[in-house]
Amino acid sequence: MRWINFSAEGRTAYGILEGDRVVETRGDLFGDWERTGRTHALADVKIEVPLIPRTFYCAGLNYVSHLKEAADKRGEVPSVPDRPEIGYRAQNALIAHDEDVVIPRDATEKVHYEGELVVVIGTKARHLSEADALSCVFGYSIGNDVSERTWQKNDRTFWRSKNTDTFKPMGPWIETDVDLESLHTTVRLNGEPRTRFRTNDMLFGVARFISTMTRYLTLWPGDVMWMGTDGASPDLKAGDVVEVEISGIGTLRNRFVAEA
Amino acid sequence: MRWINFSAEGRTAYGILEGDRVVETRGDLFGDWERTGRTHALADVKIEVPLIPRTFYCAGLNYVSHLKEAADKRGEVPSVPDRPEIGYRAQNALIAHDEDVVIPRDATEKVHYEGELVVVIGTKARHLSEADALSCVFGYSIGNDVSERTWQKNDRTFWRSKNTDTFKPMGPWIETDVDLESLHTTVRLNGEPRTRFRTNDMLFGVARFISTMTRYLTLWPGDVMWMGTDGASPDLKAGDVVEVEISGIGTLRNRFVAEA
């Protein structure tokens, strides 16, 4: 099932995407909901950010090639994490499918994409075993962890390198029926495929992260976890259009523009 | 004015604290609200977390003595930040005044308090000058940035050292009438004063942080910024009671207990 957060006719609501129709619902996405009886053509609605997460988790280094490329560029030996350690991103930076990523005036040319699988948590969870970990997952979406590499290297935190307004496109919707093992991520720049990897080729998979995290913390409905990226990005500039496609979920598309 | 989030008679609501009475309200804390006509004795209500922030910001290193003590312990020369760079904490870890901080079974003895001023944002803000920065502030509260130092030193992120469930006590309420220059922070362990500093002796003050942050990001109503701490904490153990008092705001008290 595909859940889409959308605006139409002056309202914002969740709907179920059936083909190219959006079946409007009311109620709690993670609890009791019902169909309102209204439907809309997908082409007629504005797609919104799937949700503003309660806690916005993100795995920083979770694919071996991405780690190696990053280390090579610094002339260092890659340091591969020996255990899953989750990080964070910031709610302010979220934008929806088809909204623009705004490159700040003082950013360097080193603005990069990172196509990522997004896990949406649906039920409160603590102390889950790895075998039971996926029971708290509501569904999956797509994220682009846009990064300004010069700031990322020189700043003490990721506050502007990764959390500048518009730097976290997420969407276009949440897919609940996903076979993790079969997924492929493809990132296209201006229509041309540039990065491709098996989505589940993670150092630590979704279940391992959830199991480890819930030893110390409670996951809540509406939390999201971005799972990291593989490969490397070319430098992006105003006018570029980046599409992150994950097979079986959809395609998240955003244009990059210069700050006015 | 003191805003308190409380539960009583099966409801959770915001109230205005007048002496030892809680005047119940309904509506939007940051917008239109009204008094319901109901009041409660403060002693009869359960104090809740003032709010679950939209984005949970935290300044990591913002007082010179704290920086120097931390560096001395590592046998290093302190590296003093030359510009304000905000970090993040996680919503899962928040607890209210008088709720218990649970020390995980596998934590080392290096569990420390950090008494901090909390800034609550009340209006959407972008591109604020330092002179105008405080215009977006709704009020101030108190936080205890509980930290497990061994994990803080050895882990790649702060996910469990600072964001284990219950490690972020915040409260007891939000005070809107505050003169930053006059504030003093006092941290007491089992009733005995152990750390005391002028709250506003920050490397970078609230206005400077807000002005710098809003060059790149939008602050939203319900965002919070924890402003860092001064001094050092003794090692804490189960049974200890930590009180963080900030003059003019109140006292945040939490007991530390061992994980069952």
Side-chain angles (χ1 to χ4, degrees), chain A residues 52-57 59-61 81 83-92 104-106 126-127 151 154-160 163-165 209 212-220 223 259, chain B residues 52-57 59-61 81 83-92 104-106 126-127 151 154-160 163-165 209 212-220 223 259:
Chain A
I52 301 294
R54 182 182 165 101
T55 300
F56 187 169
Y57 296 100
L61 303 165
R83 59 191 190 277
E85 294 183 66
I86 203 73
Y88 303 95
R89 297 292 182 270
Q91 286 80 349
N92 69 278
R105 263 187 301 275
D106 57 345
R126 184 82 205 260
H127 292 303
W151 294 338
N154 298 332
D155 291 350
R156 201 167 47 77
T157 77
F158 289 164
W159 74 284
R160 61 176 175 167
N163 295 310
T164 285
D165 277 354
F209 258 100
T212 305
M213 290 163 69
T214 59
R215 283 180 56 193
Y216 298 95
L217 60 87
T218 304
L219 288 171
W220 289 79
D223 286 347
E259 187 177 16
Chain B
I52 300 294
R54 183 182 165 100
T55 301
F56 188 169
Y57 296 101
L61 303 165
R83 57 191 191 278
E85 293 183 68
I86 204 72
Y88 304 94
R89 297 291 182 270
Q91 285 80 347
N92 70 278
R105 262 185 301 275
D106 56 345
R126 184 83 203 260
H127 292 303
W151 293 339
N154 297 334
D155 290 350
R156 202 167 47 76
T157 76
F158 288 164
W159 74 284
R160 59 175 177 168
N163 295 309
T164 285
D165 277 353
F209 257 101
T212 304
M213 289 163 69
T214 60
R215 283 180 57 192
Y216 298 95
L217 61 87
T218 304
L219 288 172
W220 290 78
D223 286 347
E259 187 177 16

Side-chain angles (χ1 to χ4, degrees), chain A residues 3-5 47-48 50 97 141-142 170-174 250-252:
Chain A
W3 283 98
I4 181 167
N5 189 23
I47 297 179
E48 304 289 355
H97 174 73
S141 188
I142 303 168
M170 177 165 68
W173 42 64
I174 304 168
T251 299
L252 170 69

Side-chain angles (χ1 to χ4, degrees), chain A residues 62-74:
Chain A
N62 205 23
Y63 290 85
V64 171
S65 315
H66 182 68
L67 271 168
K68 287 191 172 151
E69 294 223 30
D72 283 352
K73 283 191 183 169
R74 294 191 306 268

Side-chain angles (χ1 to χ4, degrees), chain A residues 53 55-59 62 84 86-87 116-121 136-137 139-141 143 170 202 204-211 213-214 217 219 222-228:
Chain A
T55 300
F56 187 169
Y57 296 100
C58 184
N62 205 23
I86 203 73
E116 311 205 352
L117 177 70
V118 173
V119 182
V120 179
I121 302 299
C136 71
V137 174
Y140 297 87
S141 188
M170 177 165 68
M202 300 171 188
F204 307 105
V206 178
R208 175 77 186 279
F209 258 100
I210 289 175
S211 163
M213 290 163 69
T214 59
L217 60 87
L219 288 171
D223 286 347
V224 304
M225 297 167 52
W226 290 31
M227 295 306 300

Side-chain angles (χ1 to χ4, degrees), chain A residues 49-244:
Chain A
V49 174
L51 77 174
I52 301 294
R54 182 182 165 101
T55 300
F56 187 169
Y57 296 100
C58 184
L61 303 165
N62 205 23
Y63 290 85
V64 171
S65 315
H66 182 68
L67 271 168
K68 287 191 172 151
E69 294 223 30
D72 283 352
K73 283 191 183 169
R74 294 191 306 268
E76 294 170 8
V77 175
S79 157
V80 177
D82 61 353
R83 59 191 190 277
E85 294 183 66
I86 203 73
Y88 303 95
R89 297 292 182 270
Q91 286 80 349
N92 69 278
L94 290 164
I95 59 169
H97 174 73
D98 263 346
E99 292 182 342
D100 293 341
V101 176
V102 180
I103 303 174
R105 263 187 301 275
D106 57 345
T108 69
E109 74 285 3
K110 294 279 168 208
V111 174
H112 287 181
Y113 62 68
E114 295 190 355
E116 311 205 352
L117 177 70
V118 173
V119 182
V120 179
I121 302 299
T123 55
K124 201 169 161 181
R126 184 82 205 260
H127 292 303
L128 287 181
S129 68
E130 199 168 333
D132 290 335
L134 298 184
S135 64
C136 71
V137 174
F138 177 79
Y140 297 87
S141 188
I142 303 168
N144 186 347
D145 190 9
V146 175
S147 308
E148 208 276 15
R149 299 295 184 204
T150 311
W151 294 338
Q152 186 177 348
K153 198 170 99 183
N154 298 332
D155 291 350
R156 201 167 47 77
T157 77
F158 289 164
W159 74 284
R160 61 176 175 167
S161 60
K162 286 178 172 277
N163 295 310
T164 285
D165 277 354
T166 77
F167 270 27
K168 291 289 143 306
M170 177 165 68
W173 42 64
I174 304 168
E175 170 64 60
T176 60
D177 302 315
V178 163
D179 168 30
L180 287 175
E181 271 300 301
S182 72
L183 303 181
H184 282 86
T185 303
T186 306
V187 187
R188 288 186 292 272
L189 174 58
N190 302 322
E192 192 184 324
R194 299 293 293 257
T195 303
R196 187 174 159 83
F197 56 94
R198 230 172 58 80
T199 314
N200 219 24
D201 268 353
M202 300 171 188
L203 268 174
F204 307 105
V206 178
R208 175 77 186 279
F209 258 100
I210 289 175
S211 163
T212 305
M213 290 163 69
T214 59
R215 283 180 56 193
Y216 298 95
L217 60 87
T218 304
L219 288 171
W220 289 79
D223 286 347
V224 304
M225 297 167 52
W226 290 31
M227 295 306 300
T229 197
D230 206 355
S233 164
D235 296 345
L236 304 172
K237 58 184 191 312
D240 284 342
V241 173
V242 174
E243 291 167 293
V244 183

